[in-house]
Amino acid sequence: MKNNYYVYAYLNPDKPCKLELNGISFLYEPFYIGKGKDNRCNIHLIDSRLKVNNHLSNTIKKIGIEKVRLFITKIYTNLTEENAIKDEVYLIKEIGKRIDNLGPLVNITNGGEGVSGLKHSEESRLKMSLKGEKHPKWGTTISTRHKEILSRNMKLNNPMKNKETVEKFRLSNIGRTPWNKGLKTSPEICRKLSDVKIKYKDIKIVSKKDNRFIKKFENVQDAMSYLKKCNKSILNYIYKRESIDYYWILPIDNNYNEY
């Protein structure tokens, strides 16, 4: 088990204090306790998180994002995930949550949550295992409003939609030599790429009912438009060479020219 977890605190630089807790000294009032690894301690400072209306994001914006960033403190380091959970729960309990009127923390829960400890029920796992036409959501259409919400959320969570991030990325690549400069694609890879191009164009569908040719699609997008199905569904049909009503015939199939 790797010791790559840590427990961190967000401190309020506008509120000096003298808090002693089991050998830990807080010179500024902590307002949030969390656990994680890698860059987890900065996750609450990204734009998409700050746009959510909750105690944590509102407190960060009130203090100032850059000020909070400077006062993020890793309290315990080199922990297993199990120990990180225990230490997070301990600190939240000892310092106290604002929602309980017991302390300054804006944490809503007592700690220990997160996807790493999530266990799905048998029913949920059964639903997630269903694929293609067996899935309960198969064939349902997404409303225009739902599509707009999904599109907006994807843009909010895409760091390359942030102008500052894009500029930093551009500047970091100035003067760098591309890793693949001067490299030539092998004949085998060229053949595979060629096969893929053939596979996803000039697709024919044949009726299962009477083995009658129905239509030829120029590409996957053409098939999506005609059948009003998503890209994933069409690719699933191509892979299986059939759907509920049709057989799918590709240029690389032996019987392609029969239809």
Side-chain angles (χ1 to χ4, degrees):
M1 189 174 291
K2 294 182 179 179
N3 297 350
N4 54 352
Y5 281 82
Y6 56 83
V7 176
Y8 62 93
Y10 280 16
L11 307 179
N12 188 344
D14 298 330
K15 293 185 178 181
C17 72
K18 291 183 179 180
L19 174 62
E20 296 287 339
L21 185 64
N22 195 22
I24 304 168
S25 298
F26 292 95
L27 300 180
Y28 297 94
E29 183 181 88
F31 66 89
Y32 181 79
I33 298 293
K35 70 167 177 64
K37 59 182 179 179
D38 301 326
N39 199 38
R40 172 68 187 182
C41 60
N42 291 302
I43 192 70
H44 304 290
L45 303 180
I46 64 176
D47 290 342
S48 58
R49 291 295 185 100
L50 293 172
K51 289 179 180 179
V52 178
N53 184 22
N54 59 31
H55 287 303
L56 178 57
S57 61
N58 291 337
T59 302
I60 292 171
K61 287 182 284 189
K62 184 178 179 180
I63 297 171
I65 300 170
E66 294 307 318
K67 287 173 69 176
V68 172
R69 194 189 304 276
L70 292 172
F71 283 82
I72 297 174
T73 302
K74 293 182 180 179
I75 303 169
Y76 301 118
T77 58
N78 300 322
L79 302 173
T80 63
E81 183 180 12
E82 183 181 359
N83 288 334
I85 290 173
K86 291 179 181 178
D87 290 337
E88 179 192 31
V89 171
Y90 165 75
L91 287 174
I92 292 174
K93 180 181 178 181
E94 292 300 315
I95 298 172
K97 304 196 303 288
R98 188 184 300 177
I99 196 172
D100 300 327
N101 294 318
L102 295 175
L105 298 180
V106 298
N107 292 71
I108 302 299
T109 67
N110 295 325
E113 295 81 8
V115 295
S116 56
L118 179 64
K119 289 187 178 180
H120 295 286
S121 66
E122 289 293 332
E123 183 181 0
S124 296
R125 279 186 278 183
L126 176 61
K127 288 182 179 179
M128 287 187 288
S129 68
L130 298 176
K131 296 180 180 180
E133 298 169 17
K134 295 181 180 179
H135 197 277
K137 294 291 185 179
W138 178 266
T140 57
T141 56
I142 301 176
S143 66
T144 303
R145 174 61 179 161
H146 193 183
K147 288 179 182 179
E148 291 174 354
I149 293 173
L150 291 174
S151 176
R152 186 182 70 241
N153 289 342
M154 288 178 70
K155 289 177 181 177
L156 287 175
N157 287 285
N158 183 356
M160 296 311 291
K161 293 291 182 180
N162 185 311
K163 292 182 179 179
E164 291 183 8
T165 302
V166 172
E167 182 61 15
K168 287 180 181 179
F169 184 78
R170 185 187 70 82
L171 293 174
S172 68
N173 282 287
I174 293 177
R176 293 179 62 181
T177 303
W179 66 270
N180 59 346
K181 185 176 182 179
L183 296 179
K184 293 184 178 180
T185 307
S186 68
E188 182 181 358
I189 293 177
C190 288
R191 181 183 56 78
K192 289 182 179 180
L193 292 173
S194 178
D195 288 345
V196 169
K197 289 181 180 179
I198 294 172
K199 186 175 181 180
Y200 295 119
K201 72 174 186 177
D202 297 335
I203 308 158
K204 294 179 181 179
I205 55 173
V206 177
S207 172
K208 278 187 173 182
K209 188 175 181 180
D210 54 13
N211 209 37
R212 178 172 52 89
F213 170 73
I214 302 296
K215 186 174 176 61
K216 183 174 84 169
F217 302 118
E218 296 295 327
N219 48 48
V220 172
Q221 286 70 31
D222 192 14
M224 288 168 57
S225 177
Y226 180 80
L227 296 175
K228 295 182 180 178
K229 298 289 184 181
C230 67
N231 182 277
K232 188 174 182 180
S233 298
I234 300 298
L235 294 182
N236 189 40
Y237 296 154
I238 292 173
Y239 176 75
K240 295 194 301 181
R241 295 295 200 275
E242 65 176 312
S243 54
I244 294 177
D245 300 314
Y246 308 114
Y247 293 115
W248 291 63
I249 315 297
L250 307 181
I252 57 177
D253 295 332
N254 294 329
N255 59 341
Y256 181 79
N257 293 323
E258 294 180 9
Y259 297 95

